[in-house]
Short mmCIF file of all heavy atoms in Angstrom, two decimals:
data_model
loop_
_atom_site.label_atom_id
_atom_site.label_comp_id
_atom_site.label_asym_id
_atom_site.label_seq_id
_atom_site.Cartn_x
_atom_site.Cartn_y
_atom_site.Cartn_z
N MET P 182 86.71 116.91 109.43
CA MET P 182 86.25 115.48 109.61
C MET P 182 85.71 115.01 108.21
O MET P 182 84.97 115.68 107.60
CB MET P 182 85.07 115.51 110.68
CG MET P 182 84.76 114.06 110.95
SD MET P 182 83.64 113.85 112.45
CE MET P 182 84.59 114.69 113.73
N PRO P 183 86.10 113.84 107.87
CA PRO P 183 85.73 113.24 106.59
C PRO P 183 84.20 113.08 106.47
O PRO P 183 83.49 112.77 107.50
CB PRO P 183 86.40 111.94 106.44
CG PRO P 183 87.43 112.02 107.53
CD PRO P 183 86.98 112.99 108.53
N ARG P 184 83.66 113.16 105.28
CA ARG P 184 82.22 112.97 105.10
C ARG P 184 82.18 111.77 104.12
O ARG P 184 82.90 111.56 103.12
CB ARG P 184 81.60 114.17 104.29
CG ARG P 184 81.65 115.42 105.19
CD ARG P 184 81.00 116.67 104.53
NE ARG P 184 79.67 116.45 104.26
CZ ARG P 184 78.68 116.70 105.05
NH1 ARG P 184 78.96 117.07 106.30
NH2 ARG P 184 77.38 116.58 104.73
N TYR P 185 81.25 110.85 104.46
CA TYR P 185 81.03 109.64 103.81
C TYR P 185 79.60 109.62 103.26
O TYR P 185 78.68 110.04 103.85
CB TYR P 185 81.24 108.37 104.64
CG TYR P 185 82.65 108.35 105.23
CD1 TYR P 185 82.94 108.99 106.46
CD2 TYR P 185 83.68 107.78 104.44
CE1 TYR P 185 84.23 108.92 107.05
CE2 TYR P 185 84.95 107.87 104.99
CZ TYR P 185 85.19 108.37 106.18
OH TYR P 185 86.51 108.41 106.70
N GLU P 186 79.48 109.15 102.03
CA GLU P 186 78.20 109.14 101.29
C GLU P 186 77.53 107.70 101.39
O GLU P 186 78.23 106.84 101.13
CB GLU P 186 78.34 109.55 99.78
CG GLU P 186 77.01 109.84 99.09
CD GLU P 186 77.27 110.46 97.75
OE1 GLU P 186 78.34 110.21 97.16
OE2 GLU P 186 76.33 111.11 97.25
N PHE P 187 76.25 107.72 101.71
CA PHE P 187 75.58 106.43 101.84
C PHE P 187 74.34 106.43 100.97
O PHE P 187 73.77 107.62 100.66
CB PHE P 187 75.13 106.17 103.33
CG PHE P 187 76.26 105.86 104.25
CD1 PHE P 187 77.08 106.82 104.77
CD2 PHE P 187 76.53 104.55 104.56
CE1 PHE P 187 78.10 106.56 105.59
CE2 PHE P 187 77.57 104.23 105.43
CZ PHE P 187 78.36 105.20 105.99
N ARG P 188 73.81 105.35 100.70
CA ARG P 188 72.46 105.19 99.91
C ARG P 188 71.63 104.27 100.61
O ARG P 188 72.09 103.16 100.97
CB ARG P 188 72.80 104.77 98.43
CG ARG P 188 71.51 104.75 97.61
CD ARG P 188 71.91 104.32 96.11
NE ARG P 188 70.84 103.74 95.52
CZ ARG P 188 70.39 102.48 95.62
NH1 ARG P 188 71.04 101.64 96.48
NH2 ARG P 188 69.38 101.99 94.96
N CYS P 189 70.38 104.66 100.85
CA CYS P 189 69.43 103.84 101.44
C CYS P 189 68.87 102.86 100.49
O CYS P 189 68.31 103.30 99.43
CB CYS P 189 68.37 104.61 102.20
SG CYS P 189 67.00 103.64 102.94
N ARG P 190 68.87 101.61 100.72
CA ARG P 190 68.22 100.55 99.76
C ARG P 190 66.78 100.53 99.90
O ARG P 190 66.13 100.08 98.97
CB ARG P 190 68.80 99.20 100.05
CG ARG P 190 70.33 99.08 99.73
CD ARG P 190 70.77 97.72 100.02
NE ARG P 190 72.18 97.55 99.72
CZ ARG P 190 73.01 96.57 100.13
NH1 ARG P 190 72.55 95.67 101.00
NH2 ARG P 190 74.26 96.54 99.73
N THR P 191 66.23 100.98 100.96
CA THR P 191 64.77 101.00 101.15
C THR P 191 64.05 102.16 100.38
O THR P 191 63.10 101.98 99.62
CB THR P 191 64.34 101.02 102.68
OG1 THR P 191 64.99 99.97 103.33
CG2 THR P 191 62.90 100.97 102.85
N CYS P 192 64.48 103.32 100.73
CA CYS P 192 63.86 104.54 100.09
C CYS P 192 64.73 105.19 98.97
O CYS P 192 64.29 106.12 98.39
CB CYS P 192 63.53 105.61 101.04
SG CYS P 192 64.97 106.40 101.92
N GLU P 193 66.00 104.71 98.71
CA GLU P 193 66.87 105.03 97.62
C GLU P 193 67.29 106.56 97.82
O GLU P 193 67.77 107.09 96.84
CB GLU P 193 66.15 104.77 96.22
CG GLU P 193 65.97 103.42 95.95
CD GLU P 193 65.48 103.17 94.55
OE1 GLU P 193 65.38 104.06 93.76
OE2 GLU P 193 64.96 102.04 94.27
N ASP P 194 67.28 107.03 99.02
CA ASP P 194 67.71 108.39 99.35
C ASP P 194 69.25 108.27 99.45
O ASP P 194 69.85 107.24 99.95
CB ASP P 194 67.19 108.84 100.63
CG ASP P 194 67.53 110.28 100.94
OD1 ASP P 194 67.83 111.05 99.95
OD2 ASP P 194 67.51 110.74 102.10
N THR P 195 69.97 109.25 99.05
CA THR P 195 71.49 109.38 99.19
C THR P 195 71.74 110.44 100.20
O THR P 195 71.17 111.50 100.18
CB THR P 195 72.14 109.82 97.80
OG1 THR P 195 71.78 108.68 96.94
CG2 THR P 195 73.65 109.83 98.03
N PHE P 196 72.59 110.06 101.16
CA PHE P 196 72.88 111.09 102.23
C PHE P 196 74.32 110.98 102.67
O PHE P 196 74.99 110.09 102.36
CB PHE P 196 71.99 110.85 103.42
CG PHE P 196 72.11 109.52 104.04
CD1 PHE P 196 72.92 109.23 105.24
CD2 PHE P 196 71.43 108.40 103.46
CE1 PHE P 196 73.09 108.00 105.72
CE2 PHE P 196 71.57 107.18 103.99
CZ PHE P 196 72.37 106.92 105.12
N GLU P 197 74.88 112.03 103.33
CA GLU P 197 76.25 112.02 103.79
C GLU P 197 76.20 112.04 105.36
O GLU P 197 75.37 112.53 106.02
CB GLU P 197 76.90 113.41 103.40
CG GLU P 197 77.13 113.43 101.83
CD GLU P 197 77.89 114.63 101.38
OE1 GLU P 197 77.99 115.60 102.16
OE2 GLU P 197 78.29 114.67 100.25
N VAL P 198 77.33 111.50 105.88
CA VAL P 198 77.60 111.33 107.29
C VAL P 198 78.98 111.81 107.56
O VAL P 198 79.99 111.40 106.91
CB VAL P 198 77.39 109.94 107.75
CG1 VAL P 198 77.77 109.78 109.21
CG2 VAL P 198 76.03 109.38 107.54
N SER P 199 79.21 112.81 108.54
CA SER P 199 80.56 113.09 108.95
C SER P 199 80.88 112.27 110.12
O SER P 199 80.14 112.29 111.11
CB SER P 199 80.44 114.62 109.42
OG SER P 199 80.23 115.47 108.27
N ARG P 200 82.09 111.69 109.98
CA ARG P 200 82.54 110.84 111.21
C ARG P 200 84.07 110.73 111.05
O ARG P 200 84.68 110.90 109.98
CB ARG P 200 81.84 109.52 111.16
CG ARG P 200 82.07 108.77 109.93
CD ARG P 200 81.51 107.32 109.98
NE ARG P 200 80.10 107.19 110.32
CZ ARG P 200 79.28 106.26 110.11
NH1 ARG P 200 79.86 105.23 109.37
NH2 ARG P 200 78.10 106.25 110.42
N PRO P 201 84.71 110.29 112.14
CA PRO P 201 86.16 110.13 112.09
C PRO P 201 86.54 108.86 111.12
O PRO P 201 85.67 108.09 110.93
CB PRO P 201 86.55 109.73 113.51
CG PRO P 201 85.39 110.11 114.42
CD PRO P 201 84.19 110.19 113.50
N MET P 202 87.70 108.93 110.67
CA MET P 202 88.17 107.84 109.68
C MET P 202 88.06 106.48 110.40
O MET P 202 87.89 105.47 109.78
CB MET P 202 89.52 108.16 109.14
CG MET P 202 89.53 109.27 108.19
SD MET P 202 91.23 109.77 107.56
CE MET P 202 91.44 108.36 106.47
N ALA P 203 88.35 106.53 111.76
CA ALA P 203 88.28 105.22 112.42
C ALA P 203 86.88 104.51 112.44
O ALA P 203 86.80 103.33 112.58
CB ALA P 203 88.74 105.43 113.92
N GLU P 204 85.94 105.38 112.11
CA GLU P 204 84.48 104.86 112.03
C GLU P 204 83.99 104.81 110.67
O GLU P 204 82.68 104.67 110.47
CB GLU P 204 83.66 105.75 112.94
CG GLU P 204 83.93 105.77 114.43
CD GLU P 204 83.21 106.71 115.24
OE1 GLU P 204 82.13 107.25 114.72
OE2 GLU P 204 83.63 107.04 116.39
N SER P 205 84.82 104.89 109.64
CA SER P 205 84.36 104.94 108.30
C SER P 205 83.63 103.78 107.85
O SER P 205 82.71 103.91 107.03
CB SER P 205 85.61 105.12 107.37
OG SER P 205 86.41 104.06 107.37
N SER P 206 83.84 102.62 108.34
CA SER P 206 83.10 101.43 107.94
C SER P 206 81.96 101.08 108.78
O SER P 206 81.23 100.16 108.47
CB SER P 206 84.07 100.21 107.75
OG SER P 206 84.58 99.98 109.13
N ALA P 207 81.63 101.91 109.72
CA ALA P 207 80.44 101.64 110.68
C ALA P 207 79.21 101.88 109.83
O ALA P 207 79.07 102.73 108.96
CB ALA P 207 80.51 102.62 111.82
N PRO P 208 78.10 101.11 110.06
CA PRO P 208 76.86 101.34 109.32
C PRO P 208 76.23 102.72 109.71
O PRO P 208 76.57 103.18 110.77
CB PRO P 208 75.97 100.17 109.81
CG PRO P 208 76.66 99.66 111.05
CD PRO P 208 78.11 100.07 110.99
N ALA P 209 75.40 103.18 108.90
CA ALA P 209 74.66 104.42 109.14
C ALA P 209 73.23 104.28 108.69
O ALA P 209 72.86 103.73 107.69
CB ALA P 209 75.29 105.51 108.27
N ASP P 210 72.26 104.70 109.61
CA ASP P 210 70.93 104.68 109.30
C ASP P 210 70.59 105.92 108.45
O ASP P 210 71.15 106.98 108.56
CB ASP P 210 69.99 104.80 110.57
CG ASP P 210 70.08 103.47 111.34
OD1 ASP P 210 70.47 102.47 110.83
OD2 ASP P 210 69.71 103.56 112.61
N CYS P 211 69.64 105.76 107.49
CA CYS P 211 69.31 106.94 106.67
C CYS P 211 68.38 107.92 107.44
O CYS P 211 67.95 107.54 108.61
CB CYS P 211 68.48 106.42 105.38
SG CYS P 211 66.75 106.20 105.54
N PRO P 212 68.30 109.13 106.95
CA PRO P 212 67.50 110.12 107.76
C PRO P 212 66.12 109.76 108.03
O PRO P 212 65.49 110.19 109.00
CB PRO P 212 67.64 111.36 106.86
CG PRO P 212 68.79 111.14 106.07
CD PRO P 212 69.00 109.66 105.91
N ALA P 213 65.61 108.80 107.19
CA ALA P 213 64.15 108.39 107.39
C ALA P 213 64.12 107.29 108.37
O ALA P 213 63.01 106.74 108.69
CB ALA P 213 63.57 107.90 106.07
N GLY P 214 65.24 106.76 108.88
CA GLY P 214 65.30 105.76 109.92
C GLY P 214 65.51 104.31 109.41
O GLY P 214 65.44 103.36 110.18
N HIS P 215 65.63 104.16 108.17
CA HIS P 215 65.91 102.81 107.63
C HIS P 215 67.44 102.44 107.88
O HIS P 215 68.35 103.21 107.82
CB HIS P 215 65.67 102.76 106.08
CG HIS P 215 64.33 103.26 105.71
ND1 HIS P 215 64.15 104.32 104.84
CD2 HIS P 215 63.11 102.83 106.11
CE1 HIS P 215 62.86 104.54 104.72
NE2 HIS P 215 62.22 103.59 105.38
N ALA P 216 67.55 101.10 108.19
CA ALA P 216 68.86 100.58 108.50
C ALA P 216 69.63 99.93 107.29
O ALA P 216 70.74 99.72 107.41
CB ALA P 216 68.81 99.69 109.63
N ASP P 217 68.93 99.62 106.28
CA ASP P 217 69.47 98.99 105.06
C ASP P 217 70.11 99.96 104.17
O ASP P 217 69.60 100.43 103.18
CB ASP P 217 68.41 98.21 104.40
CG ASP P 217 68.94 97.29 103.30
OD1 ASP P 217 70.22 97.06 103.30
OD2 ASP P 217 68.18 96.69 102.47
N THR P 218 71.35 100.37 104.51
CA THR P 218 72.22 101.35 103.71
C THR P 218 73.40 100.72 103.30
O THR P 218 73.96 99.81 103.79
CB THR P 218 72.36 102.58 104.55
OG1 THR P 218 73.24 102.23 105.66
CG2 THR P 218 71.20 103.25 105.06
N VAL P 219 73.94 101.29 102.20
CA VAL P 219 75.25 100.92 101.73
C VAL P 219 76.11 102.19 101.56
O VAL P 219 75.65 103.28 101.10
CB VAL P 219 75.06 100.16 100.38
CG1 VAL P 219 74.48 101.04 99.23
CG2 VAL P 219 76.36 99.56 99.99
N LYS P 220 77.44 102.04 101.87
CA LYS P 220 78.40 103.13 101.67
C LYS P 220 78.81 103.23 100.25
O LYS P 220 79.19 102.20 99.73
CB LYS P 220 79.53 102.89 102.59
CG LYS P 220 80.55 104.10 102.66
CD LYS P 220 81.61 103.87 103.73
CE LYS P 220 82.94 104.21 103.14
NZ LYS P 220 84.01 103.98 104.08
N LEU P 221 78.80 104.42 99.72
CA LEU P 221 79.25 104.55 98.30
C LEU P 221 80.62 104.89 98.20
O LEU P 221 81.22 105.46 99.04
CB LEU P 221 78.37 105.68 97.72
CG LEU P 221 76.79 105.59 97.67
CD1 LEU P 221 76.08 106.67 97.07
CD2 LEU P 221 76.39 104.34 96.89
N LEU P 222 81.28 104.56 97.09
CA LEU P 222 82.62 104.90 96.87
C LEU P 222 82.65 106.35 96.30
O LEU P 222 81.83 106.65 95.42
CB LEU P 222 83.21 103.95 95.82
CG LEU P 222 83.38 102.50 96.27
CD1 LEU P 222 83.91 101.66 95.14
CD2 LEU P 222 84.26 102.39 97.45
N SER P 223 83.46 107.15 96.81
CA SER P 223 83.60 108.54 96.40
C SER P 223 84.76 108.70 95.50
O SER P 223 85.82 108.09 95.68
CB SER P 223 83.73 109.51 97.57
OG SER P 223 82.61 109.37 98.45
N ALA P 224 84.47 109.46 94.48
CA ALA P 224 85.72 109.84 93.60
C ALA P 224 86.53 111.01 94.21
O ALA P 224 85.93 112.07 94.49
CB ALA P 224 85.15 110.28 92.22
N VAL P 225 87.72 110.72 94.50
CA VAL P 225 88.49 111.81 95.22
C VAL P 225 89.67 112.23 94.30
O VAL P 225 90.33 111.37 93.67
CB VAL P 225 89.03 111.24 96.58
CG1 VAL P 225 89.96 112.26 97.17
CG2 VAL P 225 87.93 110.80 97.39
N ALA P 226 89.77 113.51 94.09
CA ALA P 226 90.86 114.00 93.30
C ALA P 226 92.09 114.35 94.22
O ALA P 226 91.93 114.91 95.27
CB ALA P 226 90.51 115.29 92.55
N VAL P 227 93.28 113.68 93.90
CA VAL P 227 94.40 113.96 94.74
C VAL P 227 95.47 114.65 93.85
O VAL P 227 96.06 114.02 92.93
CB VAL P 227 94.98 112.65 95.22
CG1 VAL P 227 96.25 112.88 96.10
CG2 VAL P 227 93.92 111.94 96.08
N GLY P 228 95.68 115.91 94.14
CA GLY P 228 96.68 116.61 93.39
C GLY P 228 96.41 116.84 91.90
O GLY P 228 95.31 116.48 91.47
N GLY P 229 97.34 117.40 91.20
CA GLY P 229 97.18 117.51 89.70
C GLY P 229 95.99 118.57 89.41
O GLY P 229 95.68 119.33 90.29
N SER P 230 95.71 118.65 88.15
CA SER P 230 94.74 119.57 87.71
C SER P 230 93.85 118.91 86.70
O SER P 230 94.10 117.85 86.27
CB SER P 230 95.43 120.90 87.08
OG SER P 230 96.03 120.48 85.87
N SER P 231 92.78 119.63 86.36
CA SER P 231 91.81 119.07 85.42
C SER P 231 92.30 119.38 83.94
O SER P 231 91.60 118.91 83.00
CB SER P 231 90.48 119.60 85.66
OG SER P 231 90.46 121.06 85.46
N ALA P 232 93.34 120.17 83.76
CA ALA P 232 93.81 120.43 82.45
C ALA P 232 94.43 119.16 81.76
O ALA P 232 94.91 118.33 82.42
CB ALA P 232 94.90 121.53 82.48
N ALA P 233 94.25 119.09 80.46
CA ALA P 233 94.87 118.05 79.72
C ALA P 233 96.43 118.11 79.83
O ALA P 233 97.00 119.11 79.88
CB ALA P 233 94.48 118.14 78.21
N PRO P 234 97.04 116.92 79.78
CA PRO P 234 98.49 116.87 79.85
C PRO P 234 99.10 117.57 78.64
O PRO P 234 98.57 117.61 77.56
CB PRO P 234 98.89 115.46 79.91
CG PRO P 234 97.67 114.75 79.45
CD PRO P 234 96.48 115.59 79.67
N ALA P 235 100.27 118.23 78.86
CA ALA P 235 101.09 118.77 77.75
C ALA P 235 101.41 117.87 76.67
O ALA P 235 101.70 116.75 77.07
CB ALA P 235 102.19 119.54 78.35
N ALA P 236 101.43 118.29 75.51
CA ALA P 236 101.82 117.44 74.28
C ALA P 236 103.35 117.17 74.49
O ALA P 236 104.08 118.08 74.84
CB ALA P 236 101.52 118.07 72.98
N ALA P 237 103.73 116.04 73.97
CA ALA P 237 105.23 115.75 73.98
C ALA P 237 105.96 116.59 73.07
O ALA P 237 105.33 116.91 71.99
CB ALA P 237 105.37 114.21 73.68
N ALA P 238 107.22 116.81 73.21
CA ALA P 238 107.96 117.60 72.31
C ALA P 238 108.25 116.82 71.00
O ALA P 238 108.30 115.57 71.06
CB ALA P 238 109.33 117.90 72.89
N PRO P 239 108.29 117.38 69.84
CA PRO P 239 108.40 116.70 68.60
C PRO P 239 109.81 115.97 68.60
O PRO P 239 110.73 116.53 69.24
CB PRO P 239 108.37 117.78 67.48
CG PRO P 239 108.12 119.10 68.21
CD PRO P 239 108.11 118.77 69.74
N MET P 240 109.92 114.89 67.87
CA MET P 240 111.12 114.14 67.69
C MET P 240 112.25 115.02 67.14
O MET P 240 111.96 115.86 66.33
CB MET P 240 110.93 112.91 66.84
CG MET P 240 110.04 111.96 67.37
SD MET P 240 110.60 111.16 68.95
CE MET P 240 111.95 110.20 68.37
N GLY P 241 113.42 114.96 67.70
CA GLY P 241 114.54 115.75 67.22
C GLY P 241 114.69 117.15 67.76
O GLY P 241 115.53 117.82 67.40
N ALA P 242 113.70 117.49 68.64
CA ALA P 242 113.78 118.73 69.24
C ALA P 242 114.20 118.73 70.65
O ALA P 242 113.83 119.52 71.50
CB ALA P 242 112.43 119.45 69.11
N GLY P 243 114.99 117.75 71.00
CA GLY P 243 115.30 117.59 72.42
C GLY P 243 116.66 118.16 72.70
O GLY P 243 117.42 118.69 71.98
N GLY P 244 117.08 118.03 74.13
CA GLY P 244 118.28 118.53 74.59
C GLY P 244 119.48 117.72 74.20
O GLY P 244 120.04 117.94 73.05
N GLY P 245 119.85 116.79 74.97
CA GLY P 245 121.10 116.06 74.64
C GLY P 245 122.29 116.87 74.99
O GLY P 245 122.27 117.96 75.46
N CYS P 246 123.44 116.43 74.58
CA CYS P 246 124.69 117.09 74.90
C CYS P 246 124.85 118.35 74.19
O CYS P 246 125.65 119.25 74.56
CB CYS P 246 125.82 116.11 74.72
SG CYS P 246 126.15 115.71 72.95
N CYS P 247 124.25 118.62 73.05
CA CYS P 247 124.47 119.80 72.29
C CYS P 247 123.15 120.45 71.82
O CYS P 247 123.04 121.08 70.92
CB CYS P 247 125.29 119.44 71.06
SG CYS P 247 124.62 118.14 69.97
N GLY P 248 122.09 120.22 72.67
CA GLY P 248 120.84 120.91 72.46
C GLY P 248 120.05 120.43 71.32
O GLY P 248 119.12 121.18 70.74
N GLY P 249 120.41 119.18 70.80
CA GLY P 249 119.52 118.74 69.70
C GLY P 249 120.06 119.11 68.33
O GLY P 249 119.42 118.76 67.31
N GLY P 250 121.15 119.79 68.30
CA GLY P 250 121.66 120.17 66.95
C GLY P 250 122.55 119.20 66.23
O GLY P 250 123.01 119.45 65.15
N GLY P 251 122.72 118.06 66.82
CA GLY P 251 123.60 117.00 66.17
C GLY P 251 125.01 117.18 66.45
O GLY P 251 125.58 118.14 66.00
N CYS P 252 125.54 116.38 67.20
CA CYS P 252 126.95 116.51 67.61
C CYS P 252 127.80 116.09 66.47
O CYS P 252 127.52 115.12 65.69
CB CYS P 252 127.30 115.62 68.82
SG CYS P 252 126.40 116.14 70.33
N GLY P 253 128.93 116.85 66.35
CA GLY P 253 129.68 116.18 65.24
C GLY P 253 130.84 116.99 64.87
O GLY P 253 131.48 117.04 64.03
#
C-alpha cells in the first residue's frame, strides 16, 4: 500500500499515511489531531541507477559500415 507524506501547518510535524491510491488526495489529520495539513510531493525514483551516465565515444571511433576505419 502506498505511503503519503503530509505536513501539519499547525505544529509543523511531518508524518506518513498508508492508504490506497484511490484515497491519495483525501485529507489527513496529523497525529496531534490538527486538521490543517498539506500533502507533500515525494521524490520517486523510477528505474535507472544513481551512477553518472557513461561518457560518449570520441569522434571517429564509431561503427559504421567498416568499423570506423574509413571506407575506401
Side-chain angles (χ1 to χ4, degrees):
M182 186 168 306
R184 298 180 62 84
Y185 299 96
E186 192 172 23
F187 288 83
R188 185 176 153 284
C189 177
R190 291 180 177 163
T191 304
C192 66
E193 298 185 8
D194 187 24
T195 300
F196 60 97
E197 291 183 347
V198 176
S199 293
R200 59 171 58 155
M202 290 178 74
E204 298 174 14
S205 65
S206 61
D210 289 343
C211 88
H215 305 120
D217 189 12
T218 61
V219 62
K220 185 172 136 186
L221 302 177
L222 295 177
S223 301
V225 178
V227 179
S230 69
S231 61
M240 294 297 289
C246 66
C247 53
C252 298

